[in-house]
Amino acid sequence: MSLARARLWQLPRLLAILWADTRQAPLARRRDEDAWALGKLIVRGKVHVWREAGRVRAFIARDGVRIHALYTEPQWRGRGAGARLVREAMDAIERLELWTAQANAGARRFYAGQGFREIRLTGGEGNDEGVPDVLMKWERPSR
């Protein structure tokens, strides 16, 4: 197992992981828009990957305090990749926040288990999908 900054040549693999997870949902963006947005984040050094058995199995896209994406290859879920990527982000910064769909009970449970708390619920007015979502936030405890 290893963690590393994503490289642009890994973009097709990261998109495959992203699209495996979102294939059942209505597309918020065209695939070329996903590729462009993720590619820009990779070039800017904002994406980190978790590799296992010689292959990228999960990634996190974070810009400052905002986690934009955290996806794990479906067969590798529950093996600690997401938690490890979130812990790496927590080690680097004092506060993190993210949005997830209200209906995504698994994500909400996962992030709560990592110490995030729900801050605000919306009707989906501010997201690409137009679905009700929740803002979650984590802050490093005071010492």
Side-chain angles (χ1 to χ4, degrees):
M1 184 276 311
S2 67
L3 294 172
R5 181 181 284 182
R7 302 292 178 218
L8 196 53
W9 62 266
Q10 294 171 316
L11 180 60
R13 178 75 183 128
L14 300 182
L15 290 169
I17 293 169
L18 169 68
W19 294 334
D21 194 61
T22 59
R23 153 178 40 220
Q24 304 305 321
L27 292 177
R29 289 172 305 281
R30 296 187 332 245
R31 289 191 172 207
D32 62 320
E33 292 171 328
D34 280 345
W36 178 254
L38 190 53
K40 284 192 326 187
L41 288 169
I42 291 170
V43 168
R44 292 177 46 220
K46 306 297 182 184
V47 180
H48 285 82
V49 297
W50 184 78
R51 295 174 54 91
E52 181 70 43
R55 222 173 143 162
V56 172
R57 303 297 181 175
F59 73 92
I60 189 171
R62 179 180 65 83
D63 193 0
V65 301
R66 177 68 51 94
I67 294 176
H68 293 286
L70 176 65
Y71 289 95
T72 301
E73 185 178 56
Q75 307 89 298
W76 284 80
R77 290 192 186 129
R79 298 185 189 195
R84 183 74 189 271
L85 288 164
V86 169
R87 277 194 309 275
E88 178 190 44
M90 289 172 164
D91 289 345
I93 199 163
E94 300 293 315
R95 175 175 64 92
L96 292 167
E97 61 185 43
L98 61 93
W99 290 92
T100 191
Q102 288 183 34
N104 191 342
R108 291 171 78 175
R109 229 180 359 264
F110 169 79
Y111 288 115
Q114 304 306 309
F116 285 76
R117 58 186 206 289
E118 296 185 359
I119 301 300
R120 180 170 30 133
L121 301 173
T122 77
E125 302 81 12
N127 64 54
D128 294 336
E129 295 87 2
V131 298
D133 56 5
V134 56
L135 173 64
M136 300 186 77
K137 184 176 179 181
W138 168 84
E139 289 183 288
R140 182 179 316 284
S142 301
R143 294 180 188 193

